[in-house]
Amino acid sequence: MPTKEIPQPLLEQIRRCRSIMAFTGAGISAESGVPTFRDAQTGLWAQFSPLDLATPEAFKKHPQRVWEWYEWRRSLVNKVSPNAGHKALTKLLQLFPINTLVTQNVDGLHQASGTDTVLELHGNIHRTICSRDRTMHQTWEPEVKPPRCPDCGAHLRPDVVWFGESLPADTFDGAIRAAQNCELFLSIGTSTTVYPAAELPHTAKNTGALVIEINPTPTPFTAEADWAFAAPAGEFLPHLVERMEALARS
Ligand code: BV8
């Protein structure tokens, strides 16, 4: 049953863990002002579903529309900063000898809050690649939408994983291994509806981790979690770090 208070015995159980894996979704960036993925239909994009824009088919059919949607999201993300949830998570991970951060987000805010190694399952909106050979490009003709690759003339595209595209194999393998081996797994700000990423909390649970969900609203995974805290990440994570540090001092 989702709760808000962290019982002392749970805190002591968390403290005994030597390895942690955090699995985050769009909800951890919500308090920075980044619309969650399924709310990304705000403003001028209200008439489109992200599920219909974040696909290779949409890019093939409407390259300019998809490119401009990403330009709009990139401009949004460039204006925001990591929130208290990102910062607390960076501190929390450092309390454990073995720690892994896996995100579905493409906004780069975990890196901006000081977490060095982030497994980005769905890519990163700040990277742009050639749609033919996936080479990275830093500059392009701003008024051509989408711009053309200077080497081969194919469209440039955001370096994100669209629906129907495979996740980066090494990154996802690393995430699966971490989920299989961690003692503590936090599922933070994700609706656990996008696969294969949404397998990870189940994998952690099935291989014996203590699994905690942090999300203001129930998800398909809530009933399986050992603990579910119905709280925003920006409130819960700083509180958890505070309680952990107090326990370490006691
Ligand atoms: C693939 C990048 C196969 C783009 C994204 C089973 C197995 C495998 C695949 C499938 C399967 N079933 C279905 C599929 C197909 C599909 C899929 O999962 N569809 C869904 C819709 C059913 N999966 C795929 O297509 C994947 N590829 O499987 O390829 C393949 C195999 C062989 C060969 C070729 C192909 C690729 C999926 C990746 C899609 N790309 N993003 C972009 O961002 O533009 S996914 C997108 O959804 C984002 O990355 C987002 O992060 C992610 C998940 O969503 P959430 O992060 O959870 O965000 P959401 O808005 O849903 O929820 C936010 C949550 O936060 C809410 O619960 C809310 O309550 C909470 N919240 C709000 N405020 C706060 C908060 N929580 C805490 N604090 C707060 N303050």
Side-chain angles (χ1 to χ4, degrees), residues 218-238:
T219 74
F221 181 73
T222 303
E224 202 176 325
D226 294 299
W227 292 86
F229 291 97
E235 281 173 30
F236 182 85
L237 291 170

Side-chain angles (χ1 to χ4, degrees), residues 188-245:
I188 307 166
T190 176
S191 60
T192 66
T193 51
V194 173
Y195 285 83
E199 282 296 346
L200 293 168
H202 300 277
T203 302
K205 181 77 180 114
N206 296 338
T207 46
L210 167 62
V211 181
I212 299 172
E213 182 180 65
I214 298 144
N215 191 324
T217 58
T219 74
F221 181 73
T222 303
E224 202 176 325
D226 294 299
W227 292 86
F229 291 97
E235 281 173 30
F236 182 85
L237 291 170
H239 176 62
L240 175 56
V241 170
E242 219 174 273
R243 294 284 303 278
M244 292 289 288
E245 288 174 338

Side-chain angles (χ1 to χ4, degrees), residues 28 81-94 109-110 112-115 237-238 241:
I28 197 168
S81 319
N83 63 58
H86 293 108
K87 292 172 188 163
L89 186 55
T90 297
K91 283 176 77 174
L92 182 70
L93 291 167
Q94 288 160 357
L109 288 176
H110 285 304
S113 80
T115 304
L237 291 170
V241 170

Side-chain angles (χ1 to χ4, degrees), residues 9 31 38 40 66 74 92-93 96 98 100 111 114 153 156 181 185 202 204 223 228 231 239-240 243 247:
E31 291 158 88
R38 277 151 192 76
V66 174
R74 220 180 349 256
L92 182 70
L93 291 167
F96 296 83
I98 304 166
T100 309
Q111 294 91 324
L156 297 186
N181 296 298
F185 184 100
H202 300 277
H239 176 62
L240 175 56
R243 294 284 303 278
L247 188 62

